[in-house]
Amino acid sequence: MKFRFDKPTCQNIRKSLRKEWIETNGLGDYASSSLLGCNTRKYHGLLVADLERPVGRHVLLSTVEESLLMGEREFFFSCRKHPGVYYPRGHEYLQEMEIGEWPVFRYRFGEITLSRELMLIPGRRLLILRYEVRGVGADTPPMILRIKPLLAFRHADRLTRANPVLRPETFSAPYGFSVKPYDALPSLYMQTQGDAVFNPEPDWYRNVEYMVEQERGFDYQEDLFQPGIFEIRLSPGKPVFLTASTEALDISHRQRKLVESLWQEEAERRTEAAREAETLEGHLAHEGEKFLVRRSNGEPAVVAGYPWFGAWGRDTLIALPGLTFHAGRDELGVELLAHIGATMKDGLIPNCFSADGHHAYNCVDSSLWYVWAVQEMFRALPERRDFLREDCWPRIKAIVSAYRNGKVPCVTPDAEGFLSVGTSETQLTWMDAKVNGRPVTPRNGQPVEIAALWYNALAFADKLARLFEEPEWRQTERLDRMRAVFAKRYWVTDVQGDYLADVWREEGPDRRVRPNQLFAVSLPYPILEEEYYANVLSRVRRCLLTPYGLRTLAPSAPDYHSLYEGGPAQRDEAYHQGTVWPWLLGAYAETVLRAAWDVPGSVRELLRTVRPLFAQHLGDAGMGSVSEIFDGDPPHLPNGCIAQAWSVAECLRLLRLLKEAAPEVYAEWEADARKGGK
């Protein structure tokens, strides 16, 4: 899918700065900025490297200042924000911006057009910028492309200022230079393929501002270091290339076309892949590739979200089926499950995966989501029974034993077999925001989705015990008792419609209407009796469903937050208190298909409801991807990460489920979407 933005759109700064693009390379690195190329976040940059030493993402090359010299005139076509002014104002020359196989910017200077394209090369920490001019007349003066690299060289979460510690010296590299501003960070090599010179001219660009950080209540000004200036001679129809990398390219006289060859090879690969991603499902499957990375030691991982999240256990397992088994990456899905299983410690899957192997084991439900991911694997690949028996089954038994025997920190089983989680001071479920050490969404006790996930794990273990003839792991009677107790504990009778409580405690249930109750219906082994399904679906549909996902709290609640805005504390107060999350649509779709008496009609209604998510949002925020969250109230503005793994994965799974359940309805909806119908 391509997203094109014309001149009026590009020059509408208020809107265009809210549209962002992202490039990835399969290593955890990325390049990202706004539609204009003006950085609006401290996380934006042309080369943001996910390093192992020092660990974490680091903005190396923040941006470049670009200008076109023709005779005695100089046209600046890049853009930055400084206090009270945008300078340069390159957006005034921007005619079109396109997000397709890679980002393309097209500028016009009189009759002359200049294209600027960029891409990261997969498997390498290598950015390539490509420039080409056209429309040159006989009387056009000689043209020079002037490029000033602006370096940040700092962790992505922090900002930098001009300082005497930075080493400004540059060193010669083939057709370019290298610089190593700080000992702790790698050298940066910038090289060209073209008729170019580099002149060392160290300088600081001060008080560069990032408007989104200002809105989010963070520091928003920094200084960027300019090591020097490239001047590259341009000829019509002959592209020139500039690279940025942590490795020196072997651009010898005999290999002056090396960079062009790298570009052409990657362009052909992406063009071919795009042909296979022309449908909405194909596009989401293709977008999912951005979250799949491979560490330097060969281990696979899933980035939870760009630009600031790393690899999280819960997010990885929820996203895994959509990113792999529903996206044609079956073997990678199996490999990920094997790798994740190998990180298990005393029945626990890490909450956070670290590149250095020092994982964090502080999550009560990652292991239960592992069981669900295994179920999804077995549903998609029933022929992988040997892997299920030899790799997954021993780990599932370890999980069941750890939870049942009270060996999971902050988890205690009760007499009926349910799990009590945490204290009033802890946040151990996915609704985990805290402000000043205080849980915003207290869910200590027995959260409804933990009960549902635990029951599902026990039921699957019971099935595998029967399948692999291990009767000591059978637990049919326990499961029957749990279903009966669950309904008595969680069912809430209400004049506005019955539903499930969010948390059960001995002193009384938490009666807030939240989407977590869906998992009591949607999981492969539902803990809720079928007679209650329709009531749950009806209440969730009326109170929580929006065109972009599900609210985390019903608007009628006194602590409902309609907008996700303000500083860190204010946003954390809203994070799970009404904010909309797209990833919940997967569970909602499963619930619809189980509860609906008219499946085609229900599928049609759901597709009609979520149409704006695909018809409008994909061209907004993180263009081509699905955001982490949206405001609870209309117009449901996107927020959080601009590209979130479980948002993309569960939206793809949503479409697959609906297509399988009602293919004719889905085909009609898809055809209407292609024609731009409402």
Side-chain angles (χ1 to χ4, degrees):
M1 300 178 76
K2 288 184 183 291
F3 302 89
R4 291 188 177 90
F5 304 94
D6 59 13
K7 181 177 180 179
T9 302
C10 294
Q11 296 188 354
N12 184 336
I13 291 182
R14 185 177 63 86
K15 292 185 177 181
S16 58
L17 290 179
R18 301 292 178 181
K19 298 180 185 295
E20 302 171 58
W21 53 265
I22 189 163
E23 271 276 304
T24 62
N25 64 356
L27 300 175
D29 307 340
Y30 68 82
S32 182
S33 188
S34 69
L35 185 152
L36 301 183
C38 177
N39 292 348
T40 61
R41 301 179 186 267
K42 61 187 175 185
Y43 299 99
H44 281 161
L46 292 178
L47 184 59
V48 183
D50 191 14
L51 304 177
E52 295 182 6
R53 292 185 181 179
V55 69
R57 294 198 185 102
H58 291 74
V59 182
L60 303 182
L61 177 62
S62 175
T63 186
V64 291
E65 182 176 282
E66 300 152 308
S67 60
L68 179 65
L69 281 73
M70 290 192 293
E72 296 182 357
R73 298 190 66 185
E74 184 171 11
F75 301 89
F76 289 87
F77 58 93
S78 56
C79 184
R80 292 187 311 279
K81 175 71 166 62
H82 290 276
V85 64
Y86 286 93
Y87 180 83
R89 297 179 61 83
H91 59 282
E92 294 179 350
Y93 299 106
L94 185 58
Q95 298 293 301
E96 182 182 59
M97 196 275 178
E98 178 183 296
I99 292 289
E101 290 79 26
W102 56 87
V104 180
F105 306 79
R106 298 185 178 94
Y107 303 88
R108 178 176 289 276
F109 313 94
E111 297 301 316
I112 293 174
T113 61
L114 171 68
S115 65
R116 173 189 188 262
E117 307 170 63
L118 63 91
M119 63 170 65
L120 289 175
I121 302 302
R124 299 180 68 172
R125 189 161 288 144
L126 173 59
L127 168 79
I128 302 180
L129 288 158
R130 181 185 186 275
Y131 302 87
E132 184 175 357
V133 291
R134 294 186 181 277
V136 178
D139 57 347
T140 303
M143 294 176 294
I144 299 293
L145 177 64
R146 181 175 287 169
I147 298 178
K148 302 173 183 177
L150 301 181
L151 314 185
F153 264 76
R154 42 86 177 165
H155 193 281
D157 290 331
R158 296 187 285 272
L159 295 175
T160 191
R161 285 293 190 178
N163 64 85
V165 178
L166 179 141
R167 289 198 299 262
E169 298 85 4
T170 57
F171 304 91
S172 178
Y175 301 97
F177 74 94
S178 71
V179 63
K180 189 175 176 62
Y182 305 106
D183 286 334
L185 293 171
S187 295
L188 178 70
Y189 295 84
M190 296 197 69
Q191 299 167 268
T192 66
Q193 180 179 303
D195 184 3
V197 294
F198 173 75
N199 299 309
E201 292 187 23
D203 198 2
W204 285 94
Y205 279 51
R206 300 177 187 270
N207 297 322
V208 178
E209 293 189 346
Y210 307 120
M211 70 172 196
V212 174
E213 303 308 324
Q214 183 177 13
E215 294 169 354
R216 288 162 55 87
F218 293 112
D219 291 339
Y220 61 94
Q221 291 183 333
E222 77 170 335
D223 303 332
L224 299 174
F225 174 66
Q226 173 200 284
I229 302 173
F230 280 102
E231 291 194 344
I232 309 171
R233 187 173 299 278
L234 295 176
S235 299
K238 294 182 179 180
V240 298
F241 298 86
L242 176 67
T243 67
S245 179
T246 55
E247 61 177 290
L249 298 182
D250 183 19
I251 308 178
S252 64
H253 181 70
R254 292 183 177 181
Q255 298 191 61
R256 288 305 306 276
K257 298 292 186 181
L258 171 65
V259 180
E260 184 173 4
S261 297
L262 289 171
W263 177 280
Q264 189 63 33
E265 181 180 338
E266 177 60 12
E268 290 174 359
R269 186 193 71 83
R270 295 192 188 196
T271 301
E272 180 61 31
R275 295 192 186 100
E276 301 173 2
E278 292 181 349
T279 65
L280 180 55
E281 297 163 79
H283 172 75
L284 291 176
H286 182 67
E287 281 294 310
E289 186 177 16
K290 292 180 177 177
F291 306 100
L292 300 168
V293 303
R294 200 167 286 277
R295 305 297 186 192
S296 61
N297 60 5
E299 292 179 350
V302 174
V303 173
Y306 293 102
W308 53 74
F309 284 136
W312 292 72
R314 179 192 298 119
D315 297 60
T316 293
L317 291 160
I318 292 173
L320 190 152
L323 296 181
T324 60
F325 306 127
H326 291 278
R329 303 184 182 100
D330 294 343
E331 290 308 310
L332 178 58
V334 172
E335 183 185 0
L336 273 164
L337 279 175
H339 170 66
I340 293 168
T343 67
M344 184 180 292
K345 183 178 179 181
D346 299 326
L348 284 180
I349 298 292
N351 183 33
C352 296
F353 296 103
S354 175
D356 59 10
H358 295 92
H359 309 311
Y361 294 83
N362 58 345
C363 176
V364 301
D365 58 346
S366 288
S367 297
L368 304 180
W369 282 113
Y370 167 83
V371 177
W372 176 77
V374 171
Q375 290 173 290
E376 288 293 297
M377 182 275 294
F378 194 44
R379 180 162 69 174
L381 305 173
E383 70 275 9
R384 298 306 297 261
R385 180 168 168 170
D386 288 346
F387 175 75
L388 177 66
R389 181 180 64 248
E390 296 167 10
D391 192 281
C392 305
W393 176 223
R395 305 194 194 286
I396 292 173
K397 289 188 286 188
I399 291 169
V400 171
S401 294
Y403 281 83
R404 179 180 289 166
N405 297 326
K407 294 183 178 180
V408 177
C410 300
V411 177
T412 304
D414 69 8
E416 301 293 345
F418 288 87
L419 305 176
S420 296
V421 172
T423 69
S424 60
E425 303 300 317
T426 59
Q427 284 294 76
L428 301 173
T429 70
W430 79 277
M431 292 183 166
D432 56 1
K434 280 189 173 186
V435 173
N436 298 323
R438 173 187 60 83
V440 176
T441 311
R443 304 191 71 229
N444 56 295
Q446 297 182 0
V448 64
E449 84 277 12
I450 300 298
L453 284 163
W454 174 231
Y455 175 88
N456 177 68
L458 292 175
F460 189 49
D462 184 73
K463 173 183 177 178
L464 295 182
R466 184 169 63 253
L467 183 65
F468 299 135
E469 299 180 352
E470 297 185 36
E472 66 274 19
W473 286 93
R474 296 294 306 277
Q475 43 216 321
T476 306
E477 292 184 7
R478 175 191 293 268
L479 294 170
D480 291 341
R481 289 198 307 272
M482 288 182 70
R483 294 191 89 188
V485 171
F486 178 83
K488 292 179 181 178
R489 287 183 175 181
Y490 289 86
W491 195 247
V492 176
T493 301
D494 187 271
V495 294
Q496 296 184 25
D498 301 345
Y499 62 99
L500 290 170
D502 190 56
V503 182
W504 182 84
R505 304 182 182 97
E506 289 188 3
E507 62 269 26
D510 181 339
R511 295 171 176 263
R512 291 175 179 84
V513 179
R514 295 191 185 274
N516 303 303
Q517 61 187 298
L518 290 171
F519 296 104
V521 180
S522 68
L523 292 170
Y525 293 96
I527 191 172
L528 188 65
E529 297 287 352
E530 188 173 353
E531 63 189 273
Y532 299 106
Y533 291 179
N535 294 74
V536 168
L537 178 62
S538 176
R539 192 62 184 267
V540 169
R541 179 193 292 121
R542 285 189 290 110
C543 297
L544 305 179
L545 181 64
T546 78
Y548 301 94
L550 281 90
R551 296 185 180 97
T552 40
L553 183 64
S556 59
D559 45 355
Y560 171 78
H561 286 64
S562 61
L563 302 177
Y564 182 84
E565 61 181 8
Q570 186 177 348
R571 284 181 287 108
D572 281 344
E573 290 282 0
Y575 202 38
H576 303 110
Q577 296 293 100
T579 298
V580 172
W581 292 73
W583 81 268
L584 294 165
L585 285 170
Y588 184 82
E590 294 266 27
T591 302
V592 166
L593 297 179
R594 285 190 172 158
W597 60 270
D598 174 15
V599 170
S602 297
V603 168
R604 183 176 286 107
E605 178 189 6
L606 179 52
L607 286 170
R608 186 183 301 118
T609 299
V610 299
R611 180 181 176 83
L613 177 62
F614 303 111
Q616 299 170 18
H617 175 64
L618 289 182
D620 198 9
M623 295 178 286
S625 194
V626 184
S627 293
E628 177 189 7
I629 52 178
F630 296 77
D631 285 344
D633 277 7
H636 303 293
L637 296 178
N639 220 311
C641 281
I642 62 171
Q644 191 79 356
W646 63 8
S647 295
V648 172
E650 284 296 87
C651 283
L652 175 58
R653 198 169 72 88
L654 160 84
L655 296 178
R656 299 286 199 207
L657 289 169
L658 299 185
K659 183 177 183 178
E660 181 180 350
E664 293 182 359
V665 171
Y666 185 87
E668 174 187 316
W669 177 81
E670 188 176 40
D672 186 51
R674 282 199 296 268
K675 293 186 293 185
K678 299 297 182 183

